[in-house]
Amino acid sequence: MDFESTYKKVRGTVLKCHREFYLHLWDACDWEQEGMMVLYRLMKNHPSVMQDDEKLHVFFKTKFRNHIIDKVRMQEAKKRTLDNKAYVEVSEVGHLLAEDGLCMDEFVLFKDRMMEFKKTLTQAELDNYQRLISNQCFKGRKKMLKKMASYFEEFDPRK
Protein backbone atom coordinates (compact mmCIF):
# COMPACT_ATOMS: atom_id res chain seq x y z
CA MET A 1 0.00 0.00 0.00
CA ASP A 2 1.55 3.35 -1.01
CA PHE A 3 1.41 6.59 0.92
CA GLU A 4 -0.90 8.50 -1.45
CA SER A 5 -3.64 5.87 -1.50
CA THR A 6 -3.42 5.54 2.30
CA TYR A 7 -3.71 9.31 2.69
CA LYS A 8 -6.80 9.38 0.46
CA LYS A 9 -8.46 6.98 2.91
CA VAL A 10 -7.93 9.32 5.88
CA ARG A 11 -8.24 12.67 4.09
CA GLY A 12 -11.85 13.03 5.21
CA THR A 13 -10.69 13.31 8.81
CA VAL A 14 -8.34 16.14 7.84
CA LEU A 15 -11.13 18.01 6.03
CA LYS A 16 -13.53 17.54 8.95
CA CYS A 17 -10.97 18.93 11.42
CA HIS A 18 -10.36 21.83 9.05
CA ARG A 19 -14.06 22.73 9.30
CA GLU A 20 -14.15 22.15 13.05
CA PHE A 21 -11.01 23.99 14.26
CA TYR A 22 -9.50 27.39 13.50
CA LEU A 23 -5.76 27.90 13.26
CA HIS A 24 -4.53 31.38 12.49
CA LEU A 25 -2.98 31.80 9.02
CA TRP A 26 -3.53 28.15 8.05
CA ASP A 27 -5.04 27.46 4.66
CA ALA A 28 -6.16 24.16 3.11
CA CYS A 29 -2.62 23.27 2.02
CA ASP A 30 -1.36 23.61 5.59
CA TRP A 31 -4.07 21.26 6.82
CA GLU A 32 -3.24 18.71 4.12
CA GLN A 33 0.46 18.93 4.92
CA GLU A 34 -0.11 18.41 8.66
CA GLY A 35 -2.36 15.45 7.87
CA MET A 36 0.34 13.90 5.71
CA MET A 37 2.97 14.43 8.40
CA VAL A 38 0.79 12.79 11.06
CA LEU A 39 0.05 9.87 8.72
CA TYR A 40 3.75 9.45 7.93
CA ARG A 41 4.64 9.32 11.63
CA LEU A 42 1.78 6.87 12.22
CA MET A 43 2.96 4.60 9.39
CA LYS A 44 6.53 4.76 10.67
CA ASN A 45 5.75 4.12 14.36
CA HIS A 46 2.83 1.68 13.97
CA PRO A 47 3.23 -0.27 10.70
CA SER A 48 0.76 -2.92 11.87
CA VAL A 49 -2.09 -0.38 11.59
CA MET A 50 -1.75 -0.36 7.79
CA GLN A 51 -3.24 -3.86 7.44
CA ASP A 52 -6.64 -2.94 8.90
CA ASP A 53 -8.52 0.06 7.42
CA GLU A 54 -10.83 0.43 10.42
CA LYS A 55 -7.87 0.46 12.81
CA LEU A 56 -6.10 2.95 10.50
CA HIS A 57 -9.07 5.36 10.61
CA VAL A 58 -9.36 5.17 14.40
CA PHE A 59 -5.62 5.62 14.98
CA PHE A 60 -5.30 8.44 12.45
CA LYS A 61 -8.36 10.29 13.72
CA THR A 62 -7.09 10.16 17.29
CA LYS A 63 -3.52 11.16 16.38
CA PHE A 64 -4.55 13.95 14.02
CA ARG A 65 -7.21 15.48 16.29
CA ASN A 66 -4.79 15.44 19.24
CA HIS A 67 -2.14 17.05 17.04
CA ILE A 68 -4.55 19.82 15.98
CA ILE A 69 -5.79 20.37 19.53
CA ASP A 70 -2.16 20.84 20.60
CA LYS A 71 -1.71 23.42 17.84
CA VAL A 72 -4.87 25.26 18.94
CA ARG A 73 -3.69 25.25 22.55
CA MET A 74 -0.33 26.65 21.51
CA GLN A 75 -2.06 29.35 19.48
CA GLU A 76 -4.28 30.35 22.39
CA ALA A 77 -1.69 30.16 25.19
CA LYS A 78 -0.78 33.59 26.55
CA LYS A 79 2.78 32.60 27.36
CA ARG A 80 3.42 31.61 23.73
CA THR A 81 2.40 34.88 22.16
CA LEU A 82 6.01 35.35 21.03
CA ASP A 83 5.70 32.17 18.94
CA ASN A 84 2.83 33.66 16.95
CA LYS A 85 3.60 34.90 13.49
CA ALA A 86 4.08 38.64 13.31
CA TYR A 87 2.36 39.00 9.94
CA VAL A 88 -1.34 39.71 9.89
CA GLU A 89 -3.20 40.76 6.76
CA VAL A 90 -4.21 44.40 7.21
CA SER A 91 -7.47 43.89 5.35
CA GLU A 92 -8.48 41.37 8.04
CA VAL A 93 -7.74 43.63 11.02
CA GLY A 94 -8.00 47.11 9.51
CA HIS A 95 -11.12 47.87 11.51
CA LEU A 96 -9.12 47.30 14.72
CA LEU A 97 -6.40 49.82 13.90
CA ALA A 98 -6.77 53.07 15.77
CA GLU A 99 -6.49 56.30 13.87
CA ASP A 100 -5.30 58.23 16.91
CA GLY A 101 -1.61 58.74 17.54
CA LEU A 102 1.26 59.98 15.46
CA CYS A 103 2.06 59.09 11.87
CA MET A 104 5.66 58.35 11.02
CA ASP A 105 6.42 61.87 9.80
CA GLU A 106 4.85 63.35 12.94
CA PHE A 107 6.84 60.97 15.10
CA VAL A 108 10.10 62.04 13.44
CA LEU A 109 9.18 65.69 14.00
CA PHE A 110 8.28 64.92 17.62
CA LYS A 111 11.67 63.27 18.23
CA ASP A 112 13.40 66.26 16.61
CA ARG A 113 11.52 68.68 18.87
CA MET A 114 12.42 66.57 21.88
CA MET A 115 16.12 66.81 20.97
CA GLU A 116 15.80 70.59 20.52
CA PHE A 117 14.17 70.87 23.93
CA LYS A 118 16.86 68.77 25.62
CA LYS A 119 19.61 70.99 24.13
CA THR A 120 18.18 74.00 25.97
CA LEU A 121 18.37 72.33 29.38
CA THR A 122 21.08 72.67 32.01
CA GLN A 123 22.53 69.59 33.71
CA ALA A 124 20.16 69.96 36.68
CA GLU A 125 17.21 70.38 34.30
CA LEU A 126 18.32 67.26 32.37
CA ASP A 127 18.19 65.30 35.62
CA ASN A 128 14.67 66.63 36.20
CA TYR A 129 13.79 65.79 32.59
CA GLN A 130 14.78 62.17 33.23
CA ARG A 131 12.55 62.20 36.31
CA LEU A 132 9.73 63.70 34.22
CA ILE A 133 9.83 61.02 31.54
CA SER A 134 10.00 58.39 34.31
CA ASN A 135 6.81 59.92 35.72
CA GLN A 136 8.47 60.84 39.01
CA CYS A 137 7.61 63.81 41.17
CA PHE A 138 10.11 66.62 41.72
CA LYS A 139 10.19 70.30 42.54
CA GLY A 140 9.69 72.39 39.39
CA ARG A 141 7.77 69.73 37.47
CA LYS A 142 4.94 72.09 36.43
CA LYS A 143 7.45 74.71 35.32
CA MET A 144 9.23 72.17 33.11
CA LEU A 145 5.94 70.94 31.62
CA LYS A 146 5.00 74.51 30.79
CA LYS A 147 8.40 75.07 29.17
CA MET A 148 8.00 71.86 27.13
CA ALA A 149 4.49 72.81 26.01
CA SER A 150 5.82 75.64 23.85
CA TYR A 151 7.93 73.14 21.88
CA PHE A 152 5.04 70.76 21.27
CA GLU A 153 2.08 73.08 20.55
CA GLU A 154 1.50 71.68 17.07
CA PHE A 155 1.00 68.18 18.50
CA ASP A 156 -1.90 69.33 20.69
CA PRO A 157 -5.08 67.74 19.23
CA ARG A 158 -7.21 70.54 20.69
CA LYS A 159 -5.63 73.07 18.32
Side-chain angles (χ1 to χ4, degrees):
M1 198 180 305
D2 68 331
F3 182 81
E4 288 178 23
S5 62
T6 306
Y7 179 71
K8 285 179 184 178
K9 291 179 183 179
V10 296
R11 186 171 181 256
T13 303
V14 174
L15 298 176
K16 184 177 180 186
C17 286
H18 177 45
R19 287 188 305 270
E20 190 175 342
F21 296 103
Y22 171 76
L23 285 165
H24 187 63
L25 295 177
W26 274 35
D27 59 8
C29 294
D30 296 319
W31 284 90
E32 296 273 351
Q33 184 176 16
E34 290 294 320
M36 289 178 196
M37 289 176 10
V38 169
L39 179 63
Y40 175 76
R41 280 189 232 116
L42 181 64
M43 290 173 82
K44 186 177 172 186
N45 297 334
H46 304 282
S48 62
V49 172
M50 298 304 116
Q51 276 68 39
D52 184 10
D53 283 351
E54 187 176 328
K55 204 173 191 182
L56 171 67
H57 284 287
V58 171
F59 265 64
F60 180 79
K61 181 179 179 182
T62 304
K63 290 280 188 191
F64 187 69
R65 284 183 60 82
N66 288 342
H67 176 74
I68 295 301
I69 289 170
D70 286 346
K71 294 285 184 186
V72 170
R73 282 184 185 140
M74 261 195 275
Q75 172 182 287
E76 299 301 320
K78 295 261 188 242
K79 66 182 179 184
R80 290 187 184 88
T81 53
L82 293 177
D83 293 342
N84 291 344
K85 295 179 182 177
Y87 174 77
V88 177
E89 184 64 38
V90 174
S91 63
E92 293 176 10
V93 294
H95 64 285
L96 299 174
L97 300 176
E99 293 189 23
D100 296 340
L102 300 176
C103 298
M104 186 54 73
D105 56 343
E106 293 172 326
F107 183 70
V108 171
L109 182 60
F110 177 81
K111 286 290 208 180
D112 185 51
R113 291 289 164 85
M114 191 65 88
M115 293 302 292
E116 286 178 27
F117 175 72
K118 285 172 64 175
K119 287 178 186 176
T120 65
L121 301 176
T122 65
Q123 186 58 44
E125 289 175 324
L126 276 172
D127 293 339
N128 284 340
Y129 169 78
Q130 288 301 322
R131 289 185 187 102
L132 179 69
I133 62 173
S134 300
N135 202 23
Q136 297 176 3
C137 294
F138 59 91
K139 187 175 182 178
R141 181 181 167 101
K142 284 186 179 181
K143 184 179 176 184
M144 180 172 276
L145 286 170
K146 203 177 263 190
K147 185 177 179 181
M148 279 179 79
S150 64
Y151 281 85
F152 300 104
E153 285 177 346
E154 64 192 79
F155 294 101
D156 189 357
R158 296 171 288 183
K159 294 182 180 186

